[in-house]
Amino acid sequence: MKIEAVIFDMDGLLLDSERVSYACGREACEALGLPWREETALAMIGRNARDNALLLEGLFGDPRHVDAHAAEFARRYEALIAAGAIPLKPGVTELLDLLDRLALPRAVATSTSHARAQFKLERVGLAARMHAVIGGDQVPQGKPAPDIFLAAAARLGIAPANCLALEDSNAGARAALAAGMQVRMVPDLLAPDADVIAAGARIVPSLFAVIEELA
């Protein structure tokens, strides 16, 4: 199928941020005396703030703890963003350079809120290289529902079937597949699930493999 646009996830795909987020979440729990479980943290990858709040409420048992954790997490995480402590993933600059040469439009479809996503992308110099940024707070349903990828395709004016979606999470890959896009998954903290592979997502080791394919 013809590729007319590329739609990127952000955390774990463009930015090497999932480990930083994981550490901030754990440290926020420790500071507040709240429980922390790795399985809950991993289940949050690729999900929006609303869905993650429900996961944390199940862990903490009280929605007030969720609000306190969110505030403590944000304080720690946004300080690291501002300090430039979140690097790009390998191949990001090279892939964007190729998209410039090919004149292919591109967008970010991230479960992160739009304001925080813009802050992060601006801090690492990527905001100006994207034609659209869709945040998880701008669509009715988060990943694995297809809403955010459909919104990104609509913003670019490209049919979903002609979009290449790049993801690192299973929730994100499921969302892009449900949107009818071509999907490449570059695993970060999570290995690809069998259903994601069976549904047609192609697993690649890095963004350099995407560059080779497009070139």
Side-chain angles (χ1 to χ4, degrees), residues 44-68:
M44 294 169 66
I45 293 175
R47 308 275 183 161
N48 65 22
R50 295 186 299 269
D51 293 339
N52 284 340
L54 291 174
L55 287 169
L56 288 176
E57 186 174 344
L59 176 62
F60 300 154
D62 187 331
R64 292 173 296 180
H65 294 329
V66 176
D67 293 339

Side-chain angles (χ1 to χ4, degrees), residues 105-190:
R106 75 296 308 235
V108 170
T110 174
S111 294
T112 298
S113 70
H114 182 264
R116 182 176 283 172
Q118 280 289 145
F119 179 40
K120 292 165 82 169
L121 292 169
E122 287 168 4
R123 188 63 187 81
V124 296
L126 294 185
R129 305 197 70 177
M130 298 297 169
H131 299 105
V133 177
I134 311 296
D137 57 336
Q138 295 180 302
V139 293
Q141 296 185 89
K143 302 173 186 179
D147 302 32
I148 197 164
F149 282 103
L150 294 174
R155 183 76 64 85
L156 295 177
I158 304 295
N162 293 328
C163 292
L164 175 65
L166 304 179
E167 269 285 354
D168 69 288
S169 74
N170 288 294
R174 291 186 185 102
L177 288 165
M181 295 184 178
Q182 304 169 67
V183 180
R184 303 293 179 269
M185 183 176 175
V186 186
D188 184 38
L189 291 185
L190 297 174

Side-chain angles (χ1 to χ4, degrees), residues 48-95:
N48 65 22
R50 295 186 299 269
D51 293 339
N52 284 340
L54 291 174
L55 287 169
L56 288 176
E57 186 174 344
L59 176 62
F60 300 154
D62 187 331
R64 292 173 296 180
H65 294 329
V66 176
D67 293 339
H69 183 272
E72 181 65 17
F73 172 86
R75 184 183 70 80
R76 295 168 180 271
Y77 191 54
E78 289 175 8
L80 291 172
I81 297 169
I86 300 180
L88 297 180
K89 295 284 281 188
V92 169
T93 300
E94 293 87 347
L95 177 52

